[in-house]
Amino acid sequence: MINIAGVDDPAGLGFGRVRGGHEKEILSSLPQDKFTLFLKHRPLVDKDALGFFDLQASGHTHHGQIFPFTLFIWMV
């Protein structure tokens, strides 16, 4: 079994779509003896949350600014 946790993107504040909780607060409440996958839109690591997750997956690309996604966006 693994832990899967995530946080809302701060840009959602303008739309009333963000629910509370700081990363460290959320992650530290999980069982530390299990692998923890942390989902976060922006690929920034909060230094306070280091050590509380094993892998962070992020997907912030701004219309494919990262190769090879630029090719896919250009094709669309």
Side-chain angles (χ1 to χ4, degrees):
M1 186 178 261
I2 67 171
N3 296 317
I4 300 175
V7 292
D8 289 327
D9 185 32
L13 282 171
F15 304 99
R17 306 284 303 195
V18 174
R19 289 177 284 169
H22 294 287
E23 294 175 27
K24 181 179 178 183
E25 178 185 325
I26 293 167
L27 293 167
S28 66
S29 69
L30 300 172
Q32 297 298 305
D33 62 333
K34 294 181 174 35
F35 182 89
T36 298
L37 172 61
F38 183 43
L39 305 174
K40 183 177 179 181
H41 180 65
R42 297 171 191 242
L44 304 172
V45 177
D46 181 349
K47 291 180 182 177
D48 291 336
L50 283 175
F52 290 101
F53 61 91
D54 298 294
L55 175 65
Q56 176 177 316
S58 300
H60 193 80
T61 64
H62 278 287
H63 303 286
Q65 70 186 14
I66 301 169
F67 185 83
F69 301 107
T70 50
L71 299 175
F72 297 124
I73 297 302
W74 179 79
M75 291 167 48
V76 174

